[in-house]
């Protein structure tokens, strides 16, 4: 009992810490102000889909930087060849490879030695590989050096973007890396990111070049004027880089009153600028921004003091933006928008209300169900579930996680699935009590037997969830994190908390035989010798027909792919003055002939889709601005609650990543089950999962639900849920085979299904009840998740009884015919056999 008390105290402390961590989320601003700052800030952040705002995913084009690195290396080697008096004929440059022809092949070894003398960066990374054949010396950049170039460019881009956004006064913009070459910018409260998109997409690489003399001999380049498109011939060599500009601001010309940009140079720049203007009085000096000449004034005298002005027929807004860009600094490489999503504040608040309503209602239904079925024991499960929900919020708050709409869906799904462990435990305790064991013995035996099943079931689900995290984007990752945390906390609350509560509950009747209530019909069904495998041929045939029909639907009618997979633009339009026909006429008149229009939600709301055009390699981010302008020209009161734009680079990878995630999930589960059980157990489970998934795909094709990233999340969640069901049945099969290895396989399978039938149906019922409110009242935002989940739970539950077991039966018979045992020897059997070896 002392150990029990100590353990209970430890559990209580952990629970209190978790629940306290969640408390600040449920306090108003006045109450939070009274808390310590570190504690008050321990809250969940709302995602953009809940609070409204925009996110931009931008991709860095590092090809120019890599080409520049090759050119610098080539110039370095050419200089070394000249200094070493090694004659060469010509040089060729192709991407990250460069080669030069030597006039004398005997000099190749010397040339290679010279080339490798300075082949390390400041961080010690080898820059290039040197090769040679006959008289050809060739170099190619190393993968490590290319990776360093990309990382440095991305790090510098993050800093520049952060300074630019801070200059605009945006509230708490979030900037983070995304992959190897992506930058994710999240901007709460920004419902029209057109200006921000343009600001962030401008490289703002400024330099000063002298206009070339007519008879000059220095290398030149041609640039156009930014306003008048006049052609300028400039010296290619940079007279001074824009990086020396330390400050810039909007000003007005003292004579004309025109907007100008005044700038200040740092110490090095001021000295350089004064010297270069002193030597070139009377020459035009071009100010070049992103390869376009802003202005090219003639230097009338020495410009000292490190200050100057840039004129260029600016408007006040243009001059202010240019000053902002110069203050923030230039991007080291161009950034292009490859994904843009916007959610209006009204849509975000509606999502919060929907999440709260469906979540609370789903949880209430589950709690009522458990109380009705198990009565006092159900109340213990309800208490454990309530603690579990608090712990989920506590851990998410501790991690400063961002709560998104898929995250809310994950919490709701977790509520249904978390009861599974409690049902397993209750059913095991009920079985032990039915055998006549006294209370404490029945409880200990029930927990011991349920423990391995709970671990196996949750680990297989975690495999699917981990892949969802690896291959998903921000909101879907949030769903994966929520499910993973929910699984871990549910294991803790069911195994640890429930055990303590149950032992406390029966502390005064430890020697009594416990009694449980349940559905009498299910009790009779699970006790009698029901031949579930009697219809195995019909069940497998029906399942195969449905799966083949689903495959036919997939290749025939196809899926209603969202922009996540097809690329393009999806705009939610809310208008009171335009009908479908009026909206269509307006868009056709403005050359949006490929737009499709669909009525959506309440009256006056439409979905406008602009599929990506074939051959497009970049997202045309300006197209959405033109679309909005066209609609607003007819109805100035129109609004755009949601905008999704996905470029070809993103959409092209989603399909591959989704297929790979599903395949890896199946492979991971196959390996785990193979290790924990046997090969035919694993094969039967994965084959059944394949049949379940094809039927769910057919459900998407039949109903026309949009197949997007949320749908992929639903598929992977269903894989985890369905395998969970199979593991529970297979665990009983393994237990039956261990108890009587010579028992007929069909009898063991029927007995295993019978003994787990109550658990299977009750768990399915609680999960259905948790998701049902979201499917009915959640709206279109979560329909691609909630409705397939309802369908998949029904399919997964029935397949656990009528499909997985028959497949296991046929595979088991095949093993018997080959003379193989159904199970490998257990650890105890191995030890016993070793003990008999003399």
């Amino acid at each position: 009992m002392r150990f029990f008390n100590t353990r209970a105290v430890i559990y209580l402390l952990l629970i209190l810490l978790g629940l306290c961590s969640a408390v600040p989320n449920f306090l108003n601003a006045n109450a939070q102000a009274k808390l310590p700052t570190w504690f008050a800030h321990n809250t969940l952040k709302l995602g953009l889909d809940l609070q409204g705002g925009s996110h931009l995913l931008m991709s860095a084009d590092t090809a120019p930087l890599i080409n520049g690195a090759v050119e610098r290396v080539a110039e370095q080697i050419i200089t070394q060849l000249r200094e070493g008096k090694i004659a060469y004929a010509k040089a060729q440059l192709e991407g990250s490879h460069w080669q030069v022809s030597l006039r004398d092949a005997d000099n190749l070894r010397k040339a290679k030695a010279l080339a490798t003398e300075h082949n390390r960066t400041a961080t010690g990374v080898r820059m290039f590989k040197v090769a040679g054949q006959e008289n050809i010396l060739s170099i190619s950049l190393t993968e490590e050096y290319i990776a360093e170039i990309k990382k440095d460019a991305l790090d510098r881009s993050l800093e520049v973007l952060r300074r630019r956004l801070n200059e605009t006064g945006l509230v708490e913009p979030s900037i983070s890396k995304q992959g190897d070459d992506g930058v994710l910018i999240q901007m709460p409260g920004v419902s029209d990111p057109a200006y921000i998109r343009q600001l962030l997409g401008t490289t703002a690489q400024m330099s000063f070049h002298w206009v070339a003399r007519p008879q000059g001999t220095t290398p030149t380049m041609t640039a156009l004027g930014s306003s008048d498109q006049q052609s300028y011939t400039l010296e290619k060599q940079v007279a001074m880089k824009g990086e020396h500009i330390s400050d810039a601001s909007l000003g007005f010309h003292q004579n004309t009153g025109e907007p100008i940009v005044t700038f200040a140079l740092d110490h090095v720049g001021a000295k350089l600028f004064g010297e270069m203007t002193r030597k070139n009085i009377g020459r035009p000096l071009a100010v070049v921004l992103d390869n376009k000449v802003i202005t090219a004034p003639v230097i009338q005298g020495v410009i000292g003091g490190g200050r100057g002005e840039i004129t260029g027929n600016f408007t006040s807004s243009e001059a202010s933006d240019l000053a902002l860009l110069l203050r923030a600094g230039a991007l080291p490489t161009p950034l292009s928008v490859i994904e843009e999503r916007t959610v209006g504040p009204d849509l975000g608040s509606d999502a919060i209300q929907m999440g709260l309503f469906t979540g609370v209602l789903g949880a209430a239904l589950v709690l009522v169900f458990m109380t009705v079925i198990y009565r006092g024991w159900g109340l213990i499960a309800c208490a454990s579930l309530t603690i579990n929900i608090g712990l989920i919020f506590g851990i998410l708050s501790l991690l400063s996680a961002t709560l998104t709409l898929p995250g809310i869906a994950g919490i709701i799904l977790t509520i249904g699935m978390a009861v599974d462990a409690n049902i397993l435990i209750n059913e095991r305790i009920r079985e032990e009590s039915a055998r006549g064991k006294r209370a404490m013995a029945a409880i200990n035996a029930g927990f011991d037997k349920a423990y391995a099943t709970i671990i196996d079931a949750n680990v297989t689900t975690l495999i699917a969830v981990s892949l969802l995290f690896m291959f998903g984007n921000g909101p879907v990752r949030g769903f994966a994190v929520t499910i993973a945390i929910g699984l871990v906390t549910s294991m803790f609350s069911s195994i640890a908390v429930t055990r303590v509560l149950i032992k406390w509950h029966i502390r005064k009747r430890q020697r009594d035989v416990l009694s449980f209530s349940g559905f009498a019909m299910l009790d009779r069904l699970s006790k009698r010798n029901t031949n579930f495998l009697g219809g195995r041929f019909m069940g497998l045939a029906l399942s195969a027909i449905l799966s083949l029909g689903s495959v036919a639907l997939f290749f025939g009618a196809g899926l209603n792919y969202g922009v996540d997979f097809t690329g393009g633009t999806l705009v939610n339009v809310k208008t009171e003055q335009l009908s479908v026909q009026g909206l269509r006429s307006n868009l056709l008149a403005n050359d949006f002939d490929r737009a499709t229009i669909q009525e959506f939600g309440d009256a006056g709301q439409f979905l406008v889709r602009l599929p990506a055009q074939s051959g497009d390699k970049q997202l045309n981010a300006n197209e959405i601005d033109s679309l909005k302008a066209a609609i607003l020209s007819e109805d100035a009161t129109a609004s755009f609650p949601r905008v999704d734009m996905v470029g070809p680079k993103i959409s092209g990878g989603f399909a591959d990543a989704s297929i790979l995630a599903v395949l890896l999930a199946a492979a991971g589960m196959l390996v785990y089950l193979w290790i924990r059980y046997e090969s035919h157990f694993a094969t039967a489970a994965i084959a059944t999962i394949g049949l379940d998934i094809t039927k769910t795909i057919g459900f998407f094709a039949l109903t026309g639900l949009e197949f997007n990233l949320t749908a992929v999340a639903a598929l992977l969640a269903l894989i985890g849920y369905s395998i969970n069901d199979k593991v529970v049945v297979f665990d009983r099969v393994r237990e039956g085979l261990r108890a009587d290895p010579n028992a007929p396989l069909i009898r063991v399978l029927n007995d295993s299904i019978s003994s787990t039938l109550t658990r299977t149906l009750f768990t399915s019922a609680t999960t259905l009840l948790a998701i049902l409110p979201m499917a009915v009242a959640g709206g279109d935002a979560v329909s691609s998740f909630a409705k397939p989940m309802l369908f998949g739970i029904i399919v997964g539950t029935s397949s656990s009884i009528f499909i997985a077991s028959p497949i296991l039966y046929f595979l088991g018979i095949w093993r018997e015919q080959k003379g193989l045992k159904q199970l490998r020897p257990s650890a105890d059997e191995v030890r016993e056999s070793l003990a008999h070896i003399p």
Side-chain angles (χ1 to χ4, degrees):
M1 183 61 76
R2 182 177 179 182
F3 171 75
F4 167 73
N5 289 336
T6 303
R7 184 167 54 187
V9 170
I10 294 173
Y11 291 160
L12 180 62
L13 289 175
L14 289 174
I15 292 169
L16 288 176
L17 287 174
L19 297 180
C20 287
S21 179
V23 166
N25 292 288
F26 305 98
L27 301 178
N28 57 32
N30 293 330
Q32 287 185 2
K34 299 176 182 178
L35 299 175
T37 304
W38 61 269
F39 186 44
H41 290 170
N42 190 59
T43 57
L44 282 166
K45 299 172 184 172
L46 293 181
L48 296 183
D49 55 353
L50 295 180
Q51 63 174 318
S54 300
H55 102 197
L56 299 174
L57 181 59
M58 310 187 80
S59 177
D61 180 12
T62 55
L65 293 178
I66 295 172
N67 293 337
V70 177
E71 291 178 2
R72 289 193 301 273
V73 170
E75 290 175 2
Q76 170 188 315
I77 294 176
I78 288 294
T79 301
Q80 290 171 321
L81 293 178
R82 288 173 180 168
E83 293 175 352
K85 297 180 180 180
I86 298 175
Y88 58 91
K90 61 178 180 179
Q92 292 181 340
L93 176 64
E94 291 185 9
S96 60
H97 301 272
W98 176 84
Q99 65 181 32
V100 62
S101 300
L102 305 179
R103 294 191 182 277
D104 188 351
D106 294 337
N107 288 326
L108 180 60
R109 181 178 295 180
K110 181 180 178 182
K112 290 173 66 175
L114 287 173
T116 55
E117 285 183 359
H118 305 286
N119 191 15
R120 296 282 177 179
T121 65
T123 57
V125 172
R126 187 162 65 103
M127 294 189 293
F128 53 87
K129 295 177 287 187
V130 181
Q133 187 175 7
E134 296 180 354
N135 68 324
I136 304 297
L137 174 69
S138 62
I139 64 165
S140 58
L141 298 187
T142 64
E143 294 297 328
E144 295 81 5
Y145 185 42
I146 292 175
E148 185 177 85
I149 291 172
K150 291 181 178 180
K151 181 179 181 300
D152 177 69
L154 209 56
D155 289 342
R156 287 191 289 150
S157 296
L158 286 173
E159 184 58 34
V160 172
L161 292 177
R162 190 171 287 110
R163 289 200 298 265
R164 289 185 185 181
L165 287 176
N166 288 339
E167 290 275 357
T168 64
L170 284 178
V171 179
E172 295 184 356
S174 171
I175 306 175
S176 59
K177 288 183 183 179
Q178 188 88 348
D180 295 332
D181 61 353
V183 180
L184 179 64
I185 303 104
Q186 294 183 311
M187 300 165 288
V190 176
S191 57
D192 187 0
Y195 167 70
I196 300 297
R197 185 199 315 134
Q198 182 180 4
L199 185 69
L200 300 182
T202 303
T203 311
Q205 290 182 337
M206 175 169 282
S207 57
F208 297 86
H209 294 256
W210 293 110
V211 175
R213 292 187 173 94
Q215 304 299 325
T217 58
T218 58
T220 62
M221 66 178 189
T222 302
L224 296 176
S226 59
S227 57
D228 55 12
Q229 296 297 303
Q230 177 185 343
S231 180
Y232 293 85
T233 302
L234 310 176
E235 290 185 358
K236 191 173 183 179
Q237 182 179 359
V238 177
M240 189 181 76
K241 294 182 178 181
E243 63 189 28
H244 293 295
I245 296 177
S246 60
D247 192 19
S249 60
L250 167 68
F252 295 92
H253 197 280
Q254 59 183 356
N255 296 326
T256 64
E258 293 181 346
I260 60 173
V261 176
T262 62
F263 64 88
L265 300 171
D266 59 21
H267 176 72
V268 175
K271 184 177 179 180
L272 176 60
F273 201 62
E275 185 64 20
M276 58 188 272
T277 54
R278 183 182 64 80
K279 293 180 179 179
N280 292 276
I281 294 175
R283 288 189 66 186
L285 178 65
V287 180
V288 181
L289 179 68
D290 292 340
N291 299 319
K292 288 191 176 182
V293 177
I294 298 177
T295 183
V298 177
I299 301 300
Q300 303 294 339
V302 178
I303 302 178
R307 305 193 69 84
E309 298 176 351
I310 301 174
T311 60
N313 297 321
F314 301 122
T315 64
S316 296
S317 176
E318 291 171 342
S320 179
D321 289 347
L322 177 57
L324 185 155
L325 292 171
L326 294 179
R327 288 196 303 272
L331 287 169
T333 185
L335 294 177
S336 57
V337 177
I338 57 176
E339 183 184 359
E340 178 180 321
R341 299 182 189 269
T342 302
V343 176
D346 293 338
L347 193 61
S349 61
D350 290 344
I352 294 175
Q353 292 176 4
M354 179 279 295
L356 288 174
F357 171 73
T358 58
V360 170
L361 182 57
L365 290 174
V366 171
L367 296 178
V368 170
F369 178 84
M370 290 298 293
T371 304
V372 170
I373 294 300
Y374 289 109
R375 299 182 184 175
W377 301 95
L379 288 175
I380 293 175
C382 292
S384 178
L385 178 61
T386 304
I387 291 171
N388 179 55
I389 295 172
L391 291 178
I392 292 174
F393 278 99
I395 294 175
L396 289 173
S397 301
L398 195 62
L399 297 175
S400 296
T402 299
L403 184 64
T404 61
L405 191 55
I408 292 177
I411 292 175
I412 295 173
L413 178 60
T414 301
I415 291 172
M417 294 178 65
V419 183
D420 175 57
N422 286 284
I423 293 176
L424 274 171
I425 292 167
N426 285 344
E427 290 301 309
R428 282 290 192 175
I429 295 175
R430 187 169 69 156
E431 288 177 11
E432 298 299 323
S433 299
R435 294 190 178 102
K437 288 187 178 181
R438 299 184 185 276
M440 190 57 69
I443 289 171
N444 290 331
F447 272 94
D448 291 342
K449 290 184 177 181
Y451 181 78
T453 308
I454 293 171
I455 294 297
D456 285 340
N458 282 285
V459 168
T460 50
T461 306
L462 282 172
I463 291 172
V465 170
S466 64
L467 290 164
L468 196 58
F469 180 83
M470 289 170 60
F471 292 98
N473 66 355
V476 175
R477 281 189 168 191
F479 169 81
V481 170
T482 303
I483 291 288
I485 292 174
L487 289 173
V488 173
T489 56
S490 68
M491 281 193 287
F492 169 76
S493 59
S494 59
I495 295 174
V497 178
T498 303
R499 189 164 194 160
V500 171
L501 291 176
I502 287 177
K503 288 188 175 183
W504 178 82
H505 179 63
I506 58 96
R507 67 191 184 281
K508 294 181 179 179
R509 47 196 181 102
Q510 296 183 29
R511 302 186 62 82
D512 296 344
V513 177
L514 301 174
S515 62
F516 285 77
S517 62
F519 288 134
M521 181 183 68
L522 288 176
D523 287 340
R524 289 195 300 269
L525 193 62
S526 60
K527 287 178 180 178
R528 74 186 202 183
N529 297 322
T530 306
N531 186 12
F532 290 98
L533 267 70
R536 55 187 178 276
F537 292 103
M538 183 181 295
L540 288 174
L542 180 61
S543 178
I545 291 170
L546 291 174
S547 292
L548 289 173
S550 298
V551 172
L553 276 173
F554 173 75
F555 287 105
L559 299 179
N560 177 24
Y561 290 106
V563 293
D564 294 325
F565 290 96
T566 62
T569 303
L570 176 69
V571 184
N572 181 193
V573 181
K574 188 175 182 181
T575 172
E576 297 180 356
Q577 300 180 18
L578 293 176
S579 62
V580 173
Q581 189 57 43
L583 187 58
R584 182 174 289 109
S585 301
N586 173 272
L587 295 179
L588 287 173
N590 287 276
D591 298 326
F592 289 104
D593 53 329
R594 72 182 198 282
T596 60
I597 304 170
Q598 171 189 347
E599 289 185 291
F600 172 76
D602 299 331
Q605 291 204 55
F606 307 94
L607 284 180
V608 178
R609 299 174 188 268
L610 288 174
Q613 292 180 323
S614 58
D616 284 351
K617 293 185 178 180
Q618 293 291 336
L619 176 65
N620 184 6
N622 295 324
E623 187 176 48
I624 188 62
D625 302 328
S626 303
L627 177 68
K628 289 181 177 180
I631 296 173
L632 290 171
S633 66
E634 292 289 335
D635 180 7
T637 64
S639 60
F640 309 93
R642 172 190 168 203
V643 177
D644 289 342
M645 291 193 294
V646 180
K649 181 176 180 180
I650 295 295
S651 61
F654 277 153
D656 294 340
S658 301
I659 294 172
L660 183 60
V662 172
L663 292 177
L664 286 177
M669 292 174 183
L670 180 67
V671 171
Y672 181 82
L673 293 175
W674 198 312
I675 294 171
R676 289 286 294 157
Y677 294 84
E678 260 294 350
S679 59
H680 57 309
F681 283 80
T683 304
I686 297 304
T688 310
I689 293 298
L691 292 171
D692 292 348
I693 291 300
T694 53
K695 294 181 184 70
T696 309
I697 293 292
F699 176 79
F700 275 103
L702 187 64
T703 59
L705 282 172
E706 185 176 289
F707 193 82
N708 48 28
L709 282 183
T710 307
V712 176
L715 285 181
L716 285 171
L718 280 173
I719 290 175
Y721 177 85
S722 186
I723 202 72
N724 186 307
D725 251 4
K726 280 65 176 171
V727 165
V728 172
V729 177
F730 287 178
D731 185 72
R732 284 300 184 99
V733 174
R734 181 175 59 179
E735 185 179 318
L737 290 172
R738 293 273 187 226
D740 187 1
N742 297 318
L745 182 59
I746 193 168
R747 192 188 76 192
V748 173
L749 287 167
N750 281 323
D751 289 347
S752 299
I753 296 172
S754 297
S755 59
T756 59
L757 184 63
T758 305
R759 173 266 161 200
T760 299
L761 296 180
F762 283 2
T763 297
S764 298
T766 55
T767 311
L768 282 169
L769 288 173
I771 297 177
L772 186 63
M774 183 168 53
V776 174
D780 295 280
V782 292
S783 61
S784 294
F785 174 83
K787 292 177 181 178
M789 281 298 300
L790 287 180
F791 174 82
I793 289 168
I794 296 171
V795 168
T797 301
S798 59
S799 69
S800 297
I801 301 171
F802 301 109
I803 307 301
S805 294
I807 293 177
L808 180 60
Y809 171 74
F810 288 119
L811 290 175
I813 296 298
W814 177 74
R815 283 179 66 90
E816 287 180 359
Q817 292 173 351
K818 292 182 65 177
L820 299 174
K821 291 185 176 181
Q822 298 295 337
L823 295 175
R824 68 175 67 93
S826 65
D828 292 337
E829 291 171 342
V830 172
R831 282 193 292 270
E832 184 178 346
S833 62
L834 291 175
H836 290 85
I837 297 176

